[in-house]
Amino acid sequence: MKRLLCLALIFSALLPRFATAAEWSARPLSEVAVYPEFRASAHVVAVDEARIAAEVSGRIESLPRRVGQAVAKGAELARIDAAAYRIEVERAAAQSRLIGNRVKLAEAQLDQARALANQGFISADALRIRETELAVLKSELGATRQGVAAARLQLARTTIRAPFAGVVRERLASVGDLAVPGTPLLVLSATGNTELRARVPTAQIGSLRAAGKWELAAGGATHTLRLLRVSPVVEPGGQAQEAVFSSNAALAPGLAGEVRWRSQVPHLPPAFLQQRTDGLGAYVERDGKPVFVALPDAQAGRPAAVDWPADTAVIDEGRFAIGLNANGAAGNGK
């Protein structure tokens, strides 16, 4: 009787160890895998933002646009006193008319000289002089006409117009200020052409490129995005790269929010990761036996990316008891 009691006690002590080794189950990776969502702060910027400056010198007569006011392409933004430039246009035009009249006189004199030369009254050298004088005057006429065009161009520049449709973001001058070429007058931001720029950690660039869908969450709304490009330059401080997106929706410059995307690579949930002598990893079933697979890039408390087939059998129930020695410590993963 005592012998049977001893055997029963020994068997009952060994039973939990045998049961732990046998009581485990596996599930396909497709059932347990998660696809983490990544987020990055982003803001909308205008592709075109110009500091509109004066191109000629003069007193500012008008700045009709106010901050926040939308303007169409070609709309008047500023006007500079044009009196001196009008006088210059008239002077250049008068000079051109003067030379034009001299050209007409020289042409008449040349016709007369040719007639006299045919009759032998003047020499060939005198005829060539008349022809040269006419050619010189015609060159002068061309130069004066260019002068008229230049004067008119300067006059046109006294009225400054919007190079594109946009919104006045800032006024940098006031009516009555004396402007010279290069004096900034206002800042104009385009409204019809914007981009979304996000700072993405370098470690997440791969998942960003592979994602098939990107969204912007901003202002209580969600907008679908298209990835345009990723800057190859890495910011030294934050180890991040700039990703640029576009959207079919009209996004106002300055709007801030979050860009969101999901990884296309399956990840094991943190609960499936275990620490063994081989490092962090997980148990999978191979040939009916549990096998520990180390994941070198895994981090405790975070989903771990895996490149396993979707039907990989991942140990689920009983996974924490596998590979423990008699004292309950982690073994070598076998």
Side-chain angles (χ1 to χ4, degrees):
M1 186 69 179
K2 291 182 179 180
R3 183 177 179 183
L4 292 175
L5 181 59
C6 291
L7 289 175
L9 292 174
I10 294 173
F11 181 76
S12 61
L14 293 176
L15 182 59
R17 293 181 57 192
F18 292 129
T20 300
E23 292 178 357
W24 54 266
S25 62
R27 296 167 61 191
L29 175 63
S30 58
E31 293 184 7
V32 301
V34 295
Y35 296 84
E37 182 182 75
F38 297 96
R39 302 184 179 192
S41 59
H43 65 283
V44 180
V45 299
V47 174
D48 296 313
E49 183 171 282
R51 291 172 66 91
I52 307 299
E55 297 183 70
V56 295
S57 300
R59 189 78 58 184
I60 299 175
E61 284 189 342
S62 175
L63 285 170
R65 307 299 176 176
R66 297 293 181 262
V67 174
Q69 185 175 359
V71 297
K73 182 178 180 180
E76 181 180 319
L77 299 178
R79 188 169 62 251
I80 295 174
D81 182 14
Y85 298 97
R86 293 192 187 95
I87 294 173
E88 182 61 25
V89 170
E90 294 174 0
R91 187 200 64 79
Q95 181 69 17
S96 180
R97 289 193 297 270
L98 174 62
I99 300 299
N101 291 333
R102 291 178 61 185
V103 167
K104 291 179 181 178
L105 176 60
E107 288 175 342
Q109 291 176 342
L110 178 59
D111 291 340
Q112 184 180 15
R114 285 172 177 167
L116 293 175
N118 291 334
Q119 298 175 12
F121 290 105
I122 62 173
S123 64
D125 290 338
L127 181 60
R128 282 195 295 271
I129 291 174
R130 291 293 185 183
E131 293 173 344
T132 303
E133 290 176 349
L134 178 60
V136 170
L137 288 172
K138 285 185 176 181
S139 297
E140 290 182 4
L141 179 61
T144 58
R145 287 174 176 171
Q146 293 297 320
V148 173
R152 288 174 177 169
L153 179 60
Q154 291 294 89
L155 177 61
R157 286 175 174 172
T158 60
T159 300
I160 300 171
R161 301 187 180 278
F164 48 78
V167 173
V168 177
R169 291 193 59 186
E170 186 178 1
R171 283 182 55 166
L172 305 174
S174 299
V175 174
D177 288 348
L178 182 62
V180 297
T183 299
L185 304 177
L186 50 85
V187 177
L188 182 67
S189 294
T191 53
N193 192 9
T194 60
E195 290 181 342
L196 181 75
R197 298 179 183 176
R199 293 180 68 258
V200 180
T202 301
Q204 299 176 7
I205 291 296
S207 66
L208 176 74
R209 292 183 185 274
K213 183 179 180 180
W214 306 270
E215 292 182 339
L216 169 67
T222 302
H223 307 281
T224 302
L225 303 175
R226 294 187 304 275
L227 179 63
L228 298 179
R229 59 188 179 275
V230 177
S231 172
V233 178
V234 179
E235 298 178 7
Q239 288 299 292
Q241 295 172 245
E242 186 176 69
V244 181
F245 301 84
S246 66
S247 173
N248 290 331
L251 301 178
L255 180 66
E258 283 186 338
V259 174
R260 300 174 181 176
W261 72 94
R262 288 193 177 276
S263 173
Q264 300 299 300
V265 178
H267 286 61
L268 275 180
F272 283 81
L273 301 180
Q274 301 184 51
Q275 182 68 47
R276 293 293 185 263
T277 55
D278 294 337
L280 277 177
Y283 278 97
V284 300
E285 179 184 355
R286 292 178 181 172
D287 299 328
K289 299 179 181 180
V291 176
F292 183 79
V293 178
L295 300 171
D297 296 330
Q299 298 180 12
R302 295 186 177 182
V306 293
D307 56 357
W308 305 339
D311 59 353
T312 300
V314 181
I315 305 300
D316 184 8
E317 296 294 335
R319 61 186 180 274
F320 293 109
I322 301 174
L324 300 181
N325 56 27
N327 296 324
N332 60 2
K334 303 299 183 184

